[in-house]
Amino acid sequence: SQQGEEDPQALSIQEGENATMNCSYKTSINNLQWYRQNSGRGLVHLILIRSNEREKHSGRLRVTLDTSKKSSSLLITASRAADTASYFCASWMDSSYKLIFGSGTRLLVRP
Amino acid sequence: DVKVTQSSRYLVKRTGEKVFLECVQDMDHENMFWYRQDPGLGLRLIYFSYDVKMKEKGDIPEGYSVSREKKERFSLILESASTNQTSMYLCASSLGGRTNQPQHFGDGTRLSIL
């Protein structure tokens, strides 16, 4: 089973609205990353949050991490049509030296 | 910017063929990875390498092998292609040994096995 599970699986919003995506994971992590994938392309790294951090910002992106609940959320503020993509969380476990990806949230931003 | 280049965007092969997928990165990264991506399953790690001539199995190595003769190049080999290996294959690279650095991805190879 996937270490990270995103929720919702799909999200459709109007341009200008905020989009929130959630990620849950099962075991203790060192840190968590969020990636974006445009249709038919590779993944692009967005942001990394360490296990001792609770919140991190990058431009219109805000990521939170709650290690007690084993969950993270990605907020995109003032969304644009160009934000339409799939978003993946990925957790890193030092015990396995690899990233474990969730199955992703498909975001559609309607103009 | 880091560039990870996969040799083919689309590839069609026949069952039983030996298939080579090539990946080259231009930023002197130590780590390289091969994933496959299937609908509803996310990305699954096939193999990774943290140094030249080093390789480690990921979560789904069966039916695959890899080669890393040079630091910049990481090849994925399907020894005898089967239809259940039809998928999107993604290569990635990252800095520095066994540490958690952001991974940089190529644009993928969509492989169809007939």
Side-chain angles (χ1 to χ4, degrees):
Chain A
S1 62
Q2 294 291 318
Q3 161 74 334
E5 297 293 339
E6 281 91 342
D7 170 54
Q9 290 187 334
L11 181 61
S12 178
I13 59 173
Q14 201 69 37
E15 203 165 27
E17 293 180 341
N18 295 342
T20 300
M21 287 158 271
N22 302 297
C23 168
S24 61
Y25 55 92
K26 294 184 174 64
T27 61
S28 295
I29 60 171
N30 180 275
N31 49 54
L32 188 138
Q33 302 179 23
W34 284 89
Y35 287 80
R36 164 195 168 125
Q37 183 180 33
N38 285 17
S39 180
R41 307 297 297 272
L43 279 72
V44 175
H45 180 262
L46 294 176
I47 197 164
L48 181 154
I49 186 165
R50 303 190 187 284
S51 57
N52 61 354
E53 297 176 309
R54 292 295 167 258
E55 189 170 309
K56 201 161 184 180
H57 296 256
S58 176
R60 293 185 296 112
L61 305 180
R62 174 178 165 249
V63 169
T64 61
L65 180 65
D66 187 334
T67 53
S68 67
K69 295 181 179 178
K70 292 187 169 61
S71 68
S72 174
S73 67
L74 170 67
L75 169 67
I76 304 174
T77 60
S79 63
R80 305 166 182 168
D83 293 328
T84 293
S86 292
Y87 293 82
F88 295 87
C89 68
S91 51
W92 174 269
M93 296 181 290
D94 279 341
S95 59
S96 60
Y97 300 107
K98 58 187 180 184
L99 273 178
I100 308 296
F101 286 84
S103 52
T105 293
R106 295 188 315 278
L107 173 66
L108 171 65
V109 181
R110 304 186 305 273
Chain B
D1 272 356
V2 177
K3 190 163 179 63
V4 178
T5 302
Q6 294 185 230
S7 53
S8 305
R9 291 296 304 277
Y10 302 94
L11 205 54
V12 179
K13 296 291 182 181
R14 296 208 173 272
T15 303
E17 282 192 68
K18 191 169 186 176
V19 181
F20 294 85
L21 303 183
E22 307 287 346
C23 175
V24 177
Q25 50 95 3
D26 66 357
M27 282 300 290
D28 205 34
H29 282 173
E30 288 81 4
N31 301 330
M32 296 189 76
F33 308 84
W34 275 107
Y35 296 90
R36 65 177 281 176
Q37 184 177 25
D38 301 288
L41 296 178
L43 272 74
R44 292 180 291 167
L45 182 64
I46 305 172
Y47 267 97
F48 64 103
S49 167
Y50 54 88
D51 202 352
V52 177
K53 295 191 188 296
M54 305 298 288
K55 61 185 179 185
E56 286 197 23
K57 293 179 180 179
D59 298 318
I60 51 165
E62 296 79 17
Y64 303 94
S65 63
V66 289
S67 171
R68 192 160 181 209
E69 295 297 317
K70 294 184 178 181
K71 192 174 186 180
E72 67 270 19
R73 186 181 296 270
F74 193 36
S75 303
L76 179 70
I77 303 155
L78 285 65
E79 297 291 344
S80 177
S82 64
T83 55
N84 63 11
Q85 292 177 308
T86 291
S87 187
M88 169 74 102
Y89 289 87
L90 291 164
C91 175
S93 71
S94 70
L95 277 172
R98 293 176 173 231
T99 59
N100 182 21
Q101 298 291 331
Q103 294 187 10
H104 301 265
F105 283 81
D107 277 338
T109 295
R110 189 167 293 282
L111 175 65
S112 295
I113 307 295
L114 304 179

